[in-house]
C-alpha cells in the first residue's frame, strides 16, 4: 500500500490493513482464533497477529519489530525486484518473479541510501508488518546490473512486426518482431517493438540490421534496441514488358513510375513466347551503378495492375489535343488536356494517345465522355476511355461537308464530295460510331490538311447519314418548254457489246427555250429522257433545269416530248430479234421481216438491251440501198403478236427455223407444221421471235413443239405463238461440272450442258431422261442446253461379279521370275466390323463445303 506521508505505517486496533499486492495474503486458518464471542460472555479483545502465528523465532526479528519470515511461516526467501518509487523514508519495489508490489522502509536497505535510485535492481526478503500483517520487503541489497557490450551487433529480421493485427493481439499488448544474430556458431534470437526501430521505418523479414542489446529490469529478458536498417532484402518486383529488342527489353515497373532494363539471358522461360504486354516478376540488382532486372519470370495475364478506373463516367471538353506530329522537345507522355467539372471542382485532366476509345481525330472544343484513371504508383489522375458524344458538332467550330462513298479499299477509301471536284481520301479509323461503310453510302465529314503534306487534304470524323440526305444537284420546281436544237449523237465504238459493260461516250444534245423574254440554251443527255420517245431536232419538249452544286453547271432533266416535228422521219416500232458482238436485228411490227442495226445507233444503255425488248427506230438507207435502223431507242413493252390468241394448244414440227438459227435461208420467219390428227393436220403457221415462249430458245429444224395460233392485228395474218419445244433425250455422260445429252443440233450429235442449268439442283446420271431448251451462243455460234429438267431416272448400273476363274487366279499369283517363290493369299482383308469395308456410299463433295 502506497503511503501519502513519510512516516511508517501506524498500527490500528481494529480492521484489516489494505493489501499491498495484487492478491490477498493467505493466512492459515489454524493460526487464527475465533472472533465470535461465546454466548453469554463478554466481547474478547482481538489477539495481535504476531501472537496468532503458529511458530516464530524471536532472533530473526529486527529491532523495529518485523519478523524475518514471510507470513511467519518459515525462513525468508530472497527475491529480486526493481525500485519503483522512492520517498524520504520508504519506498516500493516491483517484484520481478511475480506480480506484486511491496512496501519497504529505508532502514531495511543495506548500503548507502544516497546511491539508491528508482529503477535500481535490488534483492530482498519478504516479511510481514507486525501491526498490519501486510507483506513487506526487508534486508534490501542493491544488485549490480549486468553490463552488456555497448557495440552494435549485426543481424537479420526473422519475423517482422505485423502491419495489420486484425484484432488478434490482446488489448494493450504491443506488437513485436524478432531479430537474430550469430555468435561462435550459435544463433540467438531477440525481440523488438516498433519503438526500438530508428527512423520510424517498417522492417521486412530478411532485412539486414544492426542493434544494441538491452536487458529488461523487470523480467531480465534481453531484447534489441536502437535498430538501424543496413540493407533491404531483395524483394521480387512486378511489372509489364513494354519493349523488346534483339537481345534485351524493358519492363515498366508496378511499384514506381519507371522502366528497368533486362537482358534476355535473365528470362526464365520460353523466350519465343515473350512479347510486349506480358506480366512478369523480377529481382532488382545493381550492375555497374545501374539497376537491372534479373530472374525474370512470367506471371498470369492480368496479375499486374497499374491503375484504378472509376466506374462513374464524366463529361468534359477537350481544351488541348494531341499533336499528330510530335515536336522534338515533347517529352510529356500525356500531352492532351480535358476540362471537366467533377463534384464541385473544375479539373483539368491529362490524356494520351491510348486513352481514346477510337482513333477518330479529336478537336478542341469536342464534347466528350470519359472515365478517370488513378495510377496506383504516384496517384496521378488522367482521363481514359474517351468517347466523342453525338452533340459535339454543336460545340466545335469545324466546317462539315457532305458526300458519297465512291470507293473502298483495304483500310481506306474515297469520298465523292458535294462541294469539291477532287475525291477525298479517308481512313476507316476516322468513322464514328463504328458503323461499317459501303459504296454509295452518304456521309458527313470534316476536311483537314495532311500533316505530312500540306498540299493534300483528307476527311476525318466521318458520320454516316440517312439515305437521301446528300444531294449533288438542285432541281428547279418550275417546268420549262423548249425546242430541241441538237440531238444526242452517240460516238461509234466498235468494241461495244451488251456483254462487256463498256461505257459509250455520247455528245450532249441542246434545247433552246425562253425565260423572262431571254433566249437561252441548256444541254441534255439521253439518261434524262422520260418515256420511250427519243427527241429529234425541232421536237417540242417540256423539262426541268438541274444545277450541279459544285460547279453551277446546268442541264435539262425530266425531259418529255410534247409534239413531234412533222418534217422528221416516221418512227417505227419493232422487237429485238438477234444480238451479235457489235450489231443486231429488229423484228418488224408485222413480225415478217428483220432490220439490221449497229450498236452505235443505240440511244441509251446498251447493256440493258435483251431479246424481245420493244424498240423505236427510224429507217434509213445506207450503201447499196441497204435498209437499216438508226436512232434505236428502247421503249415500254407493247403487245408482241396480238390480242386474238386461240385457246387450242396444237402439236407441230419445225420445218423451217428462224433466220438467226440458219443464216443461210432467205426468209426471216420460221415455219411450223401441224402434226396432230384433226382438220388442221399438215397446215403450216409462221412464227417470229415474239412467238417464242422463251426468246433465247433456239428451235432447230425437225423439233416437235406445242403452240397456239394468234392473228396479227395489222395484217390479219395467222401466226404461231407461245411456241414451246418438246425436247426429250438421254444423258450420255456427266463429268465434274458439265455433261452431254444425246441430241443432234446441226452437225453435232451431242449437246453440251452445265450442271448449273439442271433444275432443282439434282445430280444427273448417265441414262437419265431429261427435258431442256437449246440456246445459241451468239459469239461462238455453238448451241448448248439450258433449263435441264429430269423426267425419269435411268437404270441403275448393276455390278457383275468377277468370274470364278479370275478370282482363283488372283488368289495365286506367280511373279514373272520363274525362280521366285509362289505367293498364296492366306487371309482376305476385313474391316473392324468383320466386313470387307467400303460400305459407305461415296458422294460428290462440293469444294469448300464440309458435311
Amino acid at each position: 500500500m502506497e503511503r501519502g506521508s513519510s512516516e511508517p505505517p501506524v498500527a490500528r486496533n481494529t480492521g484489516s490493513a489494505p493489501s499491498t499486492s495484487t492478491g490477498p495474503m493467505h493466512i492459515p486458518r489454524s493460526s487464527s482464533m475465533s472472533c465470535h464471542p461465546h454466548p453469554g460472555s463478554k466481547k474478547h479483545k482481538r489477539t495481535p497477529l504476531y501472537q496468532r502465528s503458529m511458530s516464530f523465532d524471536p532472533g530473526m526479528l529486527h529491532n523495529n519489530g518485523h519478523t524475518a519470515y514471510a507470513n511467519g511461516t518459515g525462513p525468508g526467501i530472497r527475491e529480486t525486484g526493481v525500485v519503483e518509487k522512492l520517498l524520504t523514508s520508504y519506498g516500493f519495489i516491483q517484484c520481478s518473479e511475480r506480480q506484486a508490489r511491496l512496501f519497504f522502509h529505508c532502514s531495511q536497505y543495506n548500503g548507502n541510501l544516497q546511491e539508491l535510485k528508482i529503477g535500481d535492481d535490488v534483492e530482498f526478503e519478504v516479511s510481514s508488518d507486525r501491526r498490519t500483517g501486510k507483506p513487506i520487503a526487508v534486508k534490501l541489497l542493491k544488485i549490480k546490473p549486468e553490463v552488456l557490450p555497448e557495440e552494435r551487433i549485426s543481424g537479420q529480421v526473422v519475423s517482422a512486426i505485423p502491419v495489420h493485427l486484425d484484432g488478434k493481439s490482446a488489448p494493450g499488448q504491443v506488437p513485436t518482431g524478432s531479430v537474430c544474430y550469430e555468435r561462435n556458431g550459435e544463433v540467438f534470437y531477440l525481440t523488438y517493438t516498433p519503438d526500438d526501430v530508428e527512423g520510424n521505418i517498417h522492417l521486412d523479414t530478411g532485412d539486414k540490421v544492426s542493434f544494441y542489446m538491452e536487458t529488461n529490469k523487470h523480467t531480465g529478458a534481453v531484447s534489441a534496441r536502437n535498430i538501424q536498417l543496413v540493407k533491404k532484402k531483395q524483394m521480387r518486383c512486378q511489372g509489364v514488358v513494354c519493349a523488346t529488342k534483339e537481345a534485351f527489353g524493358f519492363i515498366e515497373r508496378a511499384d514506381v513510375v519507371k522502366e528497368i532494363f533486362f537482358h534476355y539471358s535473365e528470362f526464365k522461360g520460353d523466350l519465343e513466347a515473350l512479347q510486349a504486354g506480358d506480366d512478369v516478376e523480377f529481382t532488382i540488382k545493381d550492375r555497374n551503378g545501374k539497376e537491372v532486372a534479373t530472374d525474370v519470370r512470367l506471371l498470369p495475364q492480368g496479375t499486374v495492375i497499374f491503375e484504378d478506373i472509376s466506374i462513374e463516367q464524366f463529361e468534359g471538353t477537350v481544351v488541348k489535343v494531341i499533336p499528330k506530329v510530335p515536336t522534338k522537345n515533347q517529352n510529356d507522355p500525356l500531352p492532351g488536356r480535358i476540362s471537366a467539372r467533377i463534384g464541385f471542382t473544375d479539373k483539368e485532366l491529362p490524356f494520351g494517345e491510348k486513352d481514346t476509345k477510337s482513333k477518330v481525330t479529336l478537336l478542341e472544343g469536342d464534347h466528350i465522355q470519359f472515365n478517370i484513371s488513378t495510377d496506383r504508383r504516384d496517384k496521378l489522375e488522367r482521363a481514359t476511355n474517351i468517347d466523342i458524344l453525338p452533340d459535339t458538332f454543336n460545340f466545335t467550330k469545324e466546317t462539315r461537308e457532305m458526300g458519297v462513298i465512291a470507293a473502298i479499299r483495304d483500310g481506306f477509301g474515297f469520298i465523292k464530295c458535294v462541294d469539291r471536284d477532287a475525291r477525298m481520301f479517308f481512313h476507316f479509323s476516322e468513322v464514328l460510331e463504328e458503323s461499317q461503310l459501303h459504296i454509295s453510302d452518304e456521309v458527313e465529314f470534316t476536311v483537314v490538311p495532311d500533316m505530312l503534306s500540306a498540299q493534300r487534304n483528307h476527311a476525318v470524323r466521318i458520320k454516316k447519314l440517312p439515305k437521301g440526305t446528300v444531294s449533288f444537284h438542285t432541281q428547279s420546281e418550275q417546268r420549262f418548254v423548249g425546242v430541241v436544237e441538237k440531238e444526242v449523237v452517240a460516238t461509234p465504238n466498235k468494241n461495244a457489246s451488251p456483254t462487256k459493260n463498256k461505257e459509250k461516250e455520247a455528245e450532249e444534245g441542246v434545247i433552246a427555250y425562253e425565260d423572262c423574254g431571254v433566249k437561252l440554251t441548256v444541254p441534255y443527255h439521253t439518261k434524262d429522257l422520260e418515256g420511250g420517245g427519243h427527241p429529234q431536232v425541232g421536237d417540242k419538249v417540256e423539262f426541268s433545269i438541274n444545277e450541279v452544286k459544285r460547279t453551277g453547271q446546268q442541264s435539262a432533266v425530266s425531259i418529255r416530248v410534247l409534239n413531234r416535228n412533222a418534217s422528221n422521219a416516221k418512227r417505227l416500232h419493232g422487237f429485238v430479234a438477234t444480238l451479235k458482238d457489235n450489231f443486231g436485228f429488229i423484228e418488224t411490227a408485222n413480225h415478217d421481216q428483220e432490220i439490221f442495226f449497229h450498236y452505235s445507233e443505240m440511244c441509251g444503255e446498251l447493256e440493258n438491251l435483251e431479246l424481245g425488248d420493244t424498240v423505236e427506230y427510224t429507217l434509213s438507207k445506207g450503201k447499196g440501198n441497204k435498209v437499216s435502223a438508226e436512232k434505236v431507242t428502247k421503249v415500254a413493252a407493247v403487245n408482241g403478236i396480238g390480242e386474238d390468241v386461240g385457246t387450242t394448244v396444237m402439236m407441230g414440227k419445225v420445218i423451217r427455223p428462224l433466220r438467226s438459227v440458219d443464216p443461210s435461208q432467205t426468209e426471216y420467219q420460221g415455219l411450223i407444221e401441224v402434226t396432230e390428227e384433226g382438220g388442221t393436220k399438215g397446215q403450216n403457221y409462221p412464227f417470229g421471235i415474239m412467238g417464242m415462249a422463251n426468246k433465247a430458245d433456239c428451235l432447230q429444224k425437225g423439233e416437235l413443239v406445242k403452240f397456239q395460233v394468234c392473228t396479227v392485228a395489222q395484217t390479219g395474218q395467222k401466226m404461231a405463238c407461245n411456241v414451246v419445244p418438246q425436247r426429250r433425250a438421254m444423258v450420255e455422260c456427266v463429268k465434274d461440272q458439265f455433261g452431254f445429252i444425246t441430241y443432234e443440233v446441226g452437225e453435232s450429235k451431242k449437246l453440251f450442258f452445265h450442271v448449273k442449268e439442271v433444275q432443282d439442283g439434282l445430280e444427273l446420271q448417265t441414262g437419265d431422261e431429261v427435258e431442256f431448251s437449246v440456246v445459241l451462243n451468239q459469239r461462238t455460234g455453238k448451241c448448248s442446253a439450258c433449263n435441264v429438267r429430269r423426267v425419269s431416272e435411268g437404270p441403275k448400273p448393276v455390278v457383275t461379279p468377277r468370274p470364278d476363274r479370275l478370282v482363283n487366279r488372283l488368289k495365286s499369283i506367280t511373279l514373272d521370275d520363274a525362280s521366285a517363290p509362289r505367293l498364296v493369299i492366306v487371309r482376305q482383308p476385313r474391316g473392324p466390323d468383320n466386313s470387307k469395308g467400303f460400305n459407305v456410299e461415296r458422294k460428290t463433295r462440293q469444294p469448300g463445303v464440309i458435311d
Side-chain angles (χ1 to χ4, degrees), residues 416 473 475 488 504 506-509 523-531 533-535 546 548 555-559 603-605 608 633:
K416 181 182 178 182
H473 310 87
Q475 185 171 328
V488 175
K504 179 181 63 175
E507 294 183 9
E508 59 189 13
Y524 75 95
H525 301 86
T526 306
K527 63 182 179 62
D528 296 319
L529 297 174
E530 287 185 353
H534 183 75
N546 180 70
V548 179
S555 61
V557 295
S558 304
I559 304 168
C603 300
E605 299 294 336
N608 295 331
T633 307

Short mmCIF file of all heavy atoms in Angstrom, two decimals, residues 416 473 475 488 504 506-509 523-531 533-535 546 548 555-559 603-605 608 633:
data_model
loop_
_atom_site.label_atom_id
_atom_site.label_comp_id
_atom_site.label_asym_id
_atom_site.label_seq_id
_atom_site.Cartn_x
_atom_site.Cartn_y
_atom_site.Cartn_z
N LYS A 416 -16.77 10.99 -102.76
CA LYS A 416 -17.13 11.98 -103.78
C LYS A 416 -17.83 13.14 -103.07
O LYS A 416 -18.90 12.97 -102.49
CB LYS A 416 -18.06 11.35 -104.82
CG LYS A 416 -18.46 12.32 -105.92
CD LYS A 416 -19.42 11.65 -106.90
CE LYS A 416 -19.87 12.65 -107.97
NZ LYS A 416 -20.85 12.03 -108.91
N HIS A 473 -27.12 17.93 -106.66
CA HIS A 473 -27.76 18.87 -107.59
C HIS A 473 -28.95 19.54 -106.92
O HIS A 473 -29.47 19.04 -105.92
CB HIS A 473 -28.25 18.14 -108.85
CG HIS A 473 -27.23 17.26 -109.48
ND1 HIS A 473 -27.04 15.95 -109.10
CD2 HIS A 473 -26.32 17.50 -110.46
CE1 HIS A 473 -26.07 15.42 -109.82
NE2 HIS A 473 -25.61 16.34 -110.65
N GLN A 475 -32.71 20.89 -108.29
CA GLN A 475 -33.60 20.84 -109.46
C GLN A 475 -34.71 21.85 -109.27
O GLN A 475 -35.32 21.95 -108.21
CB GLN A 475 -34.17 19.43 -109.62
CG GLN A 475 -35.02 19.25 -110.86
CD GLN A 475 -35.38 17.79 -111.08
OE1 GLN A 475 -34.62 16.91 -110.74
NE2 GLN A 475 -36.56 17.55 -111.65
N VAL A 488 -28.93 14.16 -129.29
CA VAL A 488 -27.82 13.42 -128.69
C VAL A 488 -27.27 12.48 -129.75
O VAL A 488 -28.01 11.68 -130.33
CB VAL A 488 -28.29 12.64 -127.46
CG1 VAL A 488 -27.16 11.78 -126.93
CG2 VAL A 488 -28.79 13.60 -126.39
N LYS A 504 -20.11 4.05 -123.17
CA LYS A 504 -20.13 4.63 -124.51
C LYS A 504 -20.26 6.14 -124.38
O LYS A 504 -21.17 6.65 -123.73
CB LYS A 504 -21.31 4.05 -125.28
CG LYS A 504 -21.45 4.60 -126.67
CD LYS A 504 -22.65 4.00 -127.35
CE LYS A 504 -23.91 4.39 -126.61
NZ LYS A 504 -25.10 3.94 -127.31
N ALA A 506 -21.08 9.86 -125.42
CA ALA A 506 -22.14 10.45 -126.24
C ALA A 506 -22.07 11.95 -126.13
O ALA A 506 -21.82 12.50 -125.06
CB ALA A 506 -23.50 9.94 -125.79
N GLU A 507 -22.27 12.61 -127.28
CA GLU A 507 -22.33 14.06 -127.27
C GLU A 507 -23.69 14.49 -126.72
O GLU A 507 -24.71 13.86 -126.99
CB GLU A 507 -22.14 14.61 -128.68
CG GLU A 507 -20.75 14.36 -129.27
CD GLU A 507 -20.59 14.99 -130.62
OE1 GLU A 507 -21.50 15.75 -131.03
OE2 GLU A 507 -19.58 14.71 -131.29
N GLU A 508 -23.69 15.55 -125.94
CA GLU A 508 -24.93 16.02 -125.35
C GLU A 508 -25.76 16.79 -126.37
O GLU A 508 -25.23 17.41 -127.29
CB GLU A 508 -24.62 16.91 -124.14
CG GLU A 508 -23.77 18.11 -124.46
CD GLU A 508 -23.32 18.85 -123.22
OE1 GLU A 508 -23.45 18.27 -122.13
OE2 GLU A 508 -22.84 19.98 -123.35
N GLY A 509 -27.09 16.71 -126.19
CA GLY A 509 -27.99 17.48 -127.03
C GLY A 509 -28.22 18.86 -126.45
O GLY A 509 -27.79 19.18 -125.33
N PRO A 523 -28.03 22.17 -122.15
CA PRO A 523 -27.71 20.83 -122.67
C PRO A 523 -28.57 19.76 -122.00
O PRO A 523 -29.15 19.98 -120.94
CB PRO A 523 -26.24 20.65 -122.31
CG PRO A 523 -26.04 21.48 -121.11
CD PRO A 523 -26.95 22.66 -121.25
N TYR A 524 -28.65 18.59 -122.64
CA TYR A 524 -29.36 17.46 -122.04
C TYR A 524 -28.67 16.16 -122.46
O TYR A 524 -27.88 16.14 -123.42
CB TYR A 524 -30.83 17.45 -122.45
CG TYR A 524 -31.09 17.00 -123.85
CD1 TYR A 524 -31.43 15.67 -124.14
CD2 TYR A 524 -31.03 17.89 -124.93
CE1 TYR A 524 -31.66 15.23 -125.43
CE2 TYR A 524 -31.25 17.47 -126.22
CZ TYR A 524 -31.57 16.14 -126.47
OH TYR A 524 -31.79 15.71 -127.76
N HIS A 525 -29.00 15.07 -121.73
CA HIS A 525 -28.42 13.77 -122.00
C HIS A 525 -29.54 12.75 -122.14
O HIS A 525 -30.67 12.97 -121.66
CB HIS A 525 -27.46 13.33 -120.90
CG HIS A 525 -26.32 14.28 -120.70
ND1 HIS A 525 -26.42 15.39 -119.88
CD2 HIS A 525 -25.07 14.31 -121.25
CE1 HIS A 525 -25.27 16.06 -119.89
NE2 HIS A 525 -24.43 15.42 -120.71
N THR A 526 -29.22 11.62 -122.76
CA THR A 526 -30.24 10.59 -123.01
C THR A 526 -30.83 10.05 -121.71
O THR A 526 -32.02 9.75 -121.64
CB THR A 526 -29.61 9.43 -123.81
OG1 THR A 526 -28.99 9.97 -124.98
CG2 THR A 526 -30.65 8.42 -124.21
N LYS A 527 -29.99 9.94 -120.67
CA LYS A 527 -30.46 9.37 -119.41
C LYS A 527 -31.52 10.23 -118.74
O LYS A 527 -32.24 9.76 -117.84
CB LYS A 527 -29.29 9.19 -118.45
CG LYS A 527 -28.60 10.47 -118.04
CD LYS A 527 -27.41 10.19 -117.13
CE LYS A 527 -26.69 11.47 -116.73
NZ LYS A 527 -27.55 12.39 -115.96
N ASP A 528 -31.66 11.48 -119.17
CA ASP A 528 -32.63 12.38 -118.54
C ASP A 528 -33.95 12.41 -119.29
O ASP A 528 -34.82 13.23 -118.97
CB ASP A 528 -32.05 13.80 -118.47
CG ASP A 528 -30.82 13.88 -117.58
OD1 ASP A 528 -30.84 13.23 -116.53
OD2 ASP A 528 -29.84 14.55 -117.96
N LEU A 529 -34.13 11.52 -120.28
CA LEU A 529 -35.38 11.48 -121.04
C LEU A 529 -36.41 10.67 -120.28
O LEU A 529 -36.10 9.68 -119.63
CB LEU A 529 -35.15 10.85 -122.41
CG LEU A 529 -34.19 11.60 -123.35
CD1 LEU A 529 -33.95 10.79 -124.61
CD2 LEU A 529 -34.75 12.97 -123.70
N GLU A 530 -37.67 11.08 -120.37
CA GLU A 530 -38.79 10.36 -119.79
C GLU A 530 -39.59 9.71 -120.91
O GLU A 530 -39.76 10.30 -121.98
CB GLU A 530 -39.68 11.28 -118.97
CG GLU A 530 -39.08 11.72 -117.65
CD GLU A 530 -40.06 12.53 -116.83
OE1 GLU A 530 -41.14 12.85 -117.35
OE2 GLU A 530 -39.74 12.85 -115.67
N GLY A 531 -40.13 8.52 -120.66
CA GLY A 531 -40.89 7.82 -121.69
C GLY A 531 -39.97 7.19 -122.72
O GLY A 531 -38.75 7.21 -122.61
N GLY A 533 -39.88 7.93 -126.04
CA GLY A 533 -39.57 8.75 -127.20
C GLY A 533 -38.19 9.35 -127.15
O GLY A 533 -37.74 9.81 -126.10
N HIS A 534 -37.50 9.32 -128.31
CA HIS A 534 -36.18 9.95 -128.41
C HIS A 534 -36.36 11.26 -129.17
O HIS A 534 -36.71 11.26 -130.36
CB HIS A 534 -35.21 9.02 -129.15
CG HIS A 534 -33.83 9.57 -129.23
ND1 HIS A 534 -32.98 9.58 -128.15
CD2 HIS A 534 -33.15 10.15 -130.25
CE1 HIS A 534 -31.82 10.12 -128.50
NE2 HIS A 534 -31.90 10.47 -129.78
N PRO A 535 -36.17 12.41 -128.52
CA PRO A 535 -36.44 13.69 -129.21
C PRO A 535 -35.48 13.92 -130.37
O PRO A 535 -34.30 13.58 -130.30
CB PRO A 535 -36.26 14.73 -128.10
CG PRO A 535 -35.37 14.08 -127.10
CD PRO A 535 -35.67 12.61 -127.16
N ASN A 546 -31.65 21.32 -113.92
CA ASN A 546 -30.86 20.79 -112.80
C ASN A 546 -29.51 21.51 -112.75
O ASN A 546 -28.85 21.67 -113.79
CB ASN A 546 -30.64 19.28 -112.99
CG ASN A 546 -29.83 18.68 -111.85
OD1 ASN A 546 -30.32 18.57 -110.74
ND2 ASN A 546 -28.61 18.29 -112.15
N VAL A 548 -25.67 21.67 -110.88
CA VAL A 548 -24.68 20.98 -110.06
C VAL A 548 -24.19 21.95 -108.99
O VAL A 548 -23.74 23.06 -109.31
CB VAL A 548 -23.51 20.47 -110.92
CG1 VAL A 548 -22.47 19.77 -110.05
CG2 VAL A 548 -24.00 19.54 -112.01
N SER A 555 -28.26 21.69 -116.63
CA SER A 555 -28.65 20.76 -117.69
C SER A 555 -30.14 20.49 -117.56
O SER A 555 -30.74 20.71 -116.50
CB SER A 555 -27.87 19.45 -117.58
OG SER A 555 -28.15 18.82 -116.36
N ALA A 556 -30.74 20.03 -118.66
CA ALA A 556 -32.17 19.73 -118.67
C ALA A 556 -32.38 18.30 -118.21
O ALA A 556 -31.67 17.38 -118.61
CB ALA A 556 -32.74 19.93 -120.07
N VAL A 557 -33.39 18.13 -117.35
CA VAL A 557 -33.73 16.80 -116.83
C VAL A 557 -35.24 16.62 -116.90
O VAL A 557 -35.98 17.58 -117.15
CB VAL A 557 -33.24 16.62 -115.38
CG1 VAL A 557 -31.73 16.68 -115.31
CG2 VAL A 557 -33.85 17.68 -114.46
N SER A 558 -35.67 15.37 -116.69
CA SER A 558 -37.10 15.04 -116.75
C SER A 558 -37.72 15.55 -118.05
O SER A 558 -38.77 16.21 -118.07
CB SER A 558 -37.85 15.63 -115.54
OG SER A 558 -37.27 15.20 -114.33
N ILE A 559 -37.05 15.22 -119.17
CA ILE A 559 -37.48 15.72 -120.48
C ILE A 559 -38.61 14.85 -121.01
O ILE A 559 -38.49 13.62 -121.04
CB ILE A 559 -36.29 15.72 -121.46
CG1 ILE A 559 -35.14 16.54 -120.86
CG2 ILE A 559 -36.70 16.27 -122.82
CD1 ILE A 559 -33.83 16.37 -121.59
N CYS A 603 -29.56 4.41 -128.68
CA CYS A 603 -29.63 5.54 -127.74
C CYS A 603 -30.04 4.99 -126.37
O CYS A 603 -31.16 4.49 -126.21
CB CYS A 603 -30.64 6.58 -128.22
SG CYS A 603 -30.27 7.27 -129.84
N GLY A 604 -29.16 5.10 -125.45
CA GLY A 604 -29.45 4.56 -124.12
C GLY A 604 -28.43 3.51 -123.73
O GLY A 604 -27.40 3.31 -124.40
N GLU A 605 -28.70 2.85 -122.63
CA GLU A 605 -27.78 1.86 -122.08
C GLU A 605 -27.87 0.57 -122.88
O GLU A 605 -28.92 -0.08 -122.92
CB GLU A 605 -28.10 1.59 -120.60
CG GLU A 605 -27.98 2.81 -119.71
CD GLU A 605 -26.55 3.29 -119.60
OE1 GLU A 605 -25.64 2.47 -119.82
OE2 GLU A 605 -26.35 4.48 -119.33
N ASN A 608 -28.48 -3.01 -121.12
CA ASN A 608 -29.82 -3.36 -120.65
C ASN A 608 -30.70 -3.94 -121.76
O ASN A 608 -31.86 -4.28 -121.52
CB ASN A 608 -30.52 -2.13 -120.06
CG ASN A 608 -29.83 -1.63 -118.81
OD1 ASN A 608 -29.22 -2.42 -118.09
ND2 ASN A 608 -29.90 -0.34 -118.55
N THR A 633 -34.14 3.29 -129.92
CA THR A 633 -34.41 3.63 -128.51
C THR A 633 -35.31 2.57 -127.90
O THR A 633 -36.32 2.19 -128.50
CB THR A 633 -35.09 5.01 -128.40
OG1 THR A 633 -34.32 5.98 -129.09
CG2 THR A 633 -35.23 5.41 -126.94
#
